[in-house]
Amino acid sequence: MEANALSLIAQISLGLAGFAGILISLGRGPGRWHPADALRIRLLLINVLGSLFSSVVAVGLEASTLWSAQSERIGAAILLLFILYYLNTTMRGARRIDGASALFNIRILILYRTLAVLAVIAQAIVVLGYGGRAVFLLYFAGLLWGIFYGAFGFVRLVYVR
């Protein structure tokens, strides 16, 4: 059911966040990353932690009889805040880094931002209650955005320089 899917998202998110932590500690160590790599790690963590916290809260609310009907809306609101924070961090961070064009492929950055804006729209629809029967599907699509960015960002950070 829905709680099982959300639990799976939480487990995957926790794994990706853990791998990022291992990468930081065993890689170059904290504070010794290139600013572009540090931004990539920050963006990765924003997305996977957004998926993690949003899905855990929704699962917990689903288990309570008082908030079960509102669990997707509350989870989507939390996820919406994380995605907006991701977009804000992306805009500020990419401007601050010198030589970002060499480290950030502009086409990939545009794709990420486009997908993030679509996820914002989907979560806003859920939060406002206009999703109808597609509420869980829209919410789940936003969670998958966080997982996608986390997994792709991790692989890109480790293997693509």
Side-chain angles (χ1 to χ4, degrees), residues 34-44 46 84-104 106 109 113 149:
H34 186 279
D37 289 333
L39 177 62
R40 284 182 179 159
I41 292 170
R42 187 176 314 119
L43 295 174
L44 181 153
I46 289 169
L84 290 172
Y85 181 60
Y86 159 80
L87 285 169
N88 183 34
T89 304
T90 303
M91 299 293 243
R92 287 183 304 132
R95 277 185 268 172
R96 262 194 325 236
I97 297 173
D98 293 332
S101 61
L103 296 170
F104 284 97
I106 193 68
L109 191 61
R113 286 182 184 167
Y149 185 90

Side-chain angles (χ1 to χ4, degrees), residues 8 12-13 30 36 40 49 55 60 63-65 71 80-81 86 95 99 109 113 126 143 155:
L8 180 63
I12 293 169
S13 299
R40 284 182 179 159
L49 291 177
S55 58
S64 91
T65 56
S71 63
L80 179 64
L81 292 175
Y86 159 80
R95 277 185 268 172
L109 191 61
R113 286 182 184 167
V126 172
L143 291 170
V155 169

Side-chain angles (χ1 to χ4, degrees), residues 72-128:
E72 285 94 2
R73 289 178 77 180
I74 294 169
I78 293 168
L79 186 60
L80 179 64
L81 292 175
F82 272 94
I83 297 171
L84 290 172
Y85 181 60
Y86 159 80
L87 285 169
N88 183 34
T89 304
T90 303
M91 299 293 243
R92 287 183 304 132
R95 277 185 268 172
R96 262 194 325 236
I97 297 173
D98 293 332
S101 61
L103 296 170
F104 284 97
N105 186 330
I106 193 68
R107 287 177 286 185
I108 292 176
L109 191 61
I110 290 170
L111 174 66
Y112 286 162
R113 286 182 184 167
T114 303
L115 291 174
V117 168
L118 291 174
V120 164
I121 292 168
Q123 301 319 297
I125 290 170
V126 172
V127 169
L128 295 173

